Amino acid sequence: MPIVTPSRRAHLATTLGLACAAVFAALAPQAAVAKTFVYCSEGSPENFTPALNTTGTSFDAARPVYDRLTHFSRGSTQVEPGLAESWTVSADGKVFTFKLRKNVKFHSGVGGFKPTRDFSADDVLFSFERQWKPEHPYHKVSGGKYDYFADMGLPEDLQSIEKIDPHTLRITLKRANVTMLANLAMDFASIHSAEYADFLAKQNKKEQFDQVPVGTGPFSFVTYQKDAVIRFKANKDYWAPAGEKAQVDDLVFAITPDPTARYSKLKAGECHFVIAPRPADLPEMQKDPKLQVINQPGLNIAYWAFNTQKPPFDKKEVRQAFSMAIDRAAIIKDVYLGAGQPAKNLIPPTLWSYNDKVAPLPHDATQAKALLAKAGVKTPLDVDLWYMPVQRPYNPNAKRIAEMMQADLAKIGVNAKLVTYEWGEYRKRMQQGEHLTGLLGWTGDNGDPDNFFFLHGCDAARPGGQNLSKWCNKEFDGRLEKARALSDTKERTRLYQEMQQIEADEVPDFKIAHSVVYEVMRKEVSGYKQSPFGSHQFNGVTLK
């Protein structure tokens, strides 16, 4: 959006329809002097501490504020230096020594906090030990659940984290993990200010730590009006190269859950960028000269999880029957409208180690009925079918998919009750294993197949973990752990391909689709780079 001067405000209000009251009421005082980028986001964050979250919505909302030891180069899977300017890895792959960047400033003035020192190893220790050690003073704040940290096996893998000096840190693992540097570039590994934590503890305001965030990132937090708007301002002291600094003065997340409303705001000039457009709207968007439509194959999967810890889904024949009942091709045609491809493996075909030899179960209602009878299941059978209340690139309309599945299941004598909850509640209940069957999906975080396969690992099958099938297969899990310790890509590929066949044989879930990811922005936006991870990052982005 161009700078809005008083003389132009009336004209813009008429020609662009700038009527987003929540955003512009908040921005009016600085609109005349500030260049403001508005992102019409699709949902509200749970909080602003990535370590506590597992959803892209919450990660996106916190990402402007924080840095990590390593970063992914914007728009790629390449790991590059972040708050660690360099590192060495021992020959056995267990010891990582990081040289930390000097003269990095934490945000000042947020929540009344003014830092007295720069970033150091103390902040890394605080950020990781909070997730790792139950005795840490902030471990139990905001519920004390660190699902990413736990699901990736870090509580078991970490041997020590040591401060060698203020700008040298050593992480020692009990077993080698070749994914470690990429894992540290993920959102859960964001680095917080230990001094800010102490500041709040002295005021008996620890709970504010996760709601009013302080980091070293390209933007600093200003305020959050729940379910309406999040405001950030440029961090003028950001350490990164000029092209990676904030190129706008203010960044606004205008929370707009409905995709039709997001499109209307984009056309009216009320926001500059939207995600998850309705596939049906794409042809019109692509013809609009005021818009840019970008896309790339998604590093993602949409799936239907069967809770294998609950009857009748503890029987493989039942899981096979439910899979064969569903017309996957009809779903992709009706819901994805050409922006998806059938999925047979957890990882998409664009990711190395994909096993194309896996044969998916066919759509065959007659055979599905026979399998249910073989398993001793009598029909009519009542089950629940949970569907997501939000849109995601991997699943543009979960309710419609659930309705189509419901119709298919009825043909084999199964009555599926459709269930949904508010998004945060939905995710938490599914992770606890309350569902019988449920729709969800995944977008990769680090470009390594491990980041998909951990979703079926035994570590993640615990209550609260992200293995929503609650499926723990020792043959699968043993290969998962072994692959993490190997640097030989050929051997890792062999193990991962065997794991994909085990998944296909055991059917812990029904794979639906890998989607193309579409994002849409105004023509005046430049410098944005689409992420293979489905994340959204606005440093380096400017307005012509």
Side-chain angles (χ1 to χ4, degrees), residues 223-528:
T223 190
Y224 171 41
Q225 181 182 343
K226 185 171 172 55
D227 299 330
V229 63
I230 313 170
R231 295 197 307 248
F232 306 90
K233 65 180 179 180
N235 175 11
K236 303 300 184 184
D237 295 322
Y238 193 48
W239 55 267
E244 295 303 305
K245 293 178 182 288
Q247 305 296 312
V248 294
D249 300 289
D250 298 288
L251 172 64
V252 173
F253 283 36
I255 297 167
T256 313
D258 181 71
T260 301
R262 290 198 297 274
Y263 183 24
S264 296
K265 289 183 179 182
L266 186 70
K267 286 193 293 185
E270 295 173 20
C271 59
H272 299 99
F273 185 95
V274 302
I275 66 165
R278 292 194 320 136
D281 290 333
L282 285 169
E284 181 182 336
M285 289 174 161
Q286 289 164 333
K287 293 175 185 176
D288 190 332
K290 295 180 181 178
L291 302 180
Q292 308 174 61
V293 179
I294 59 175
N295 72 84
Q296 65 181 10
L299 197 68
N300 62 34
I301 175 74
Y303 60 84
W304 181 32
F306 307 126
N307 191 332
T308 62
Q309 294 182 359
K310 292 183 176 181
F313 294 100
D314 53 344
K315 295 181 179 181
K316 180 170 76 172
E317 292 84 2
V318 174
R319 303 193 298 267
Q320 289 174 323
F322 272 61
S323 297
M324 296 179 79
I326 304 305
D327 188 345
R328 182 191 286 108
I331 289 172
I332 291 172
K333 181 180 179 182
D334 184 82
V335 178
Y336 290 84
L337 302 178
Q341 65 181 102
K344 62 180 181 179
N345 295 317
L346 198 60
I347 62 172
T350 53
L351 199 56
W352 63 271
S353 80
Y354 182 81
N355 188 350
D356 200 32
K357 293 180 181 178
V358 168
L361 291 169
H363 170 47
D364 188 332
T366 301
Q367 181 64 14
K369 288 180 182 179
L371 282 167
L372 285 181
K374 180 181 177 182
V377 174
K378 297 187 188 221
T379 56
L381 172 69
D382 294 332
V383 302
D384 60 37
L385 199 174
W386 294 29
Y387 68 91
M388 300 153 51
V390 296
Q391 307 89 33
R392 287 291 181 272
Y394 57 71
N395 191 332
N397 191 337
K399 184 178 182 183
R400 176 59 182 153
I401 290 178
E403 290 169 345
M404 295 180 73
M405 286 181 164
Q406 184 183 47
D408 285 341
L409 292 171
K411 296 172 185 174
I412 65 166
V414 174
N415 302 318
K417 177 185 176 183
L418 302 191
V419 177
T420 195
Y421 295 93
E422 179 273 328
W423 176 228
E425 190 72 10
Y426 180 90
R427 180 185 59 79
K428 290 173 185 175
R429 285 174 178 262
M430 281 198 75
Q431 288 182 206
Q432 287 299 321
E434 293 184 21
H435 62 294
L436 199 55
T437 78
L439 292 170
L440 208 74
W442 185 256
T443 297
D445 292 300
N446 65 15
D448 193 289
D450 175 87
N451 188 247
F452 282 81
F453 293 129
F454 93 95
L455 294 169
H456 281 159
C458 292
D459 283 335
R462 72 191 196 291
Q466 295 180 78
N467 182 342
L468 302 181
S469 300
K470 304 306 175 186
W471 176 71
C472 177
N473 179 285
K474 296 302 181 183
E475 289 186 19
F476 181 95
D477 205 62
R479 288 167 171 80
L480 177 67
E481 295 298 336
K482 184 177 179 181
R484 283 177 178 163
L486 297 173
S487 57
D488 184 341
T489 302
K490 185 176 180 181
E491 179 62 11
R492 290 183 78 201
T493 295
R494 182 185 70 80
L495 291 168
Y496 289 148
Q497 291 187 339
E498 290 176 358
M499 289 158 61
Q500 288 165 78
Q501 189 60 58
I502 293 170
E503 284 181 332
D505 293 340
E506 292 298 318
V507 204
D509 49 28
F510 174 73
K511 279 84 172 175
I512 302 169
H514 309 289
S515 77
V516 175
V517 177
Y518 286 89
E519 296 170 345
V520 191
M521 60 190 115
R522 303 273 305 175
K523 277 291 188 185
E524 57 264 32
V525 176
S526 66
Y528 177 77

Side-chain angles (χ1 to χ4, degrees), residues 45 47-51 53 56-68 187 190 192 213 217-219 230 232 253:
N47 55 61
F48 291 89
T49 290
N53 302 317
T57 301
S58 294
F59 289 153
D60 277 349
R63 192 171 295 112
V65 175
Y66 297 111
D67 289 311
R68 292 150 299 285
D187 290 284
S190 295
H192 299 255
F219 293 91
I230 313 170
F232 306 90
F253 283 36

Side-chain angles (χ1 to χ4, degrees), residues 94-98 124-125 128-129 132-133 149 154-164 169-175 180 184:
K94 296 180 181 179
V95 183
F96 297 75
T97 304
F98 297 92
V124 184
L125 284 172
F128 291 163
E129 290 185 347
W132 183 27
K133 297 188 174 182
F149 191 81
L154 285 172
E156 293 78 24
D157 286 356
L158 278 174
Q159 179 171 307
S160 63
I161 305 176
E162 304 167 89
K163 171 186 173 182
I164 308 304
L169 185 90
R170 179 182 297 143
I171 297 178
T172 303
L173 305 178
K174 296 174 185 175
R175 51 188 174 182
M180 191 67 178
L184 291 176

Side-chain angles (χ1 to χ4, degrees), residues 68-142:
R68 292 150 299 285
L69 291 180
T70 58
H71 280 182
F72 294 112
S73 176
R74 274 195 312 125
S76 84
T77 60
Q78 180 67 40
V79 176
E80 63 182 14
L83 291 176
E85 60 184 7
S86 65
W87 53 82
T88 58
V89 184
S90 64
D92 64 3
K94 296 180 181 179
V95 183
F96 297 75
T97 304
F98 297 92
K99 286 293 181 184
L100 304 182
R101 206 173 290 277
K102 297 179 180 178
N103 303 315
V104 174
K105 311 294 182 187
F106 278 101
H107 303 151
S108 181
V110 180
F113 171 67
K114 293 184 179 180
T116 63
R117 63 167 178 81
D118 293 345
F119 157 76
S120 75
D122 291 328
D123 303 300
V124 184
L125 284 172
F126 171 89
S127 301
F128 291 163
E129 290 185 347
R130 178 188 181 183
Q131 301 178 66
W132 183 27
K133 297 188 174 182
E135 68 273 17
H136 189 279
Y138 269 79
H139 183 80
K140 293 182 173 64
V141 174
S142 301

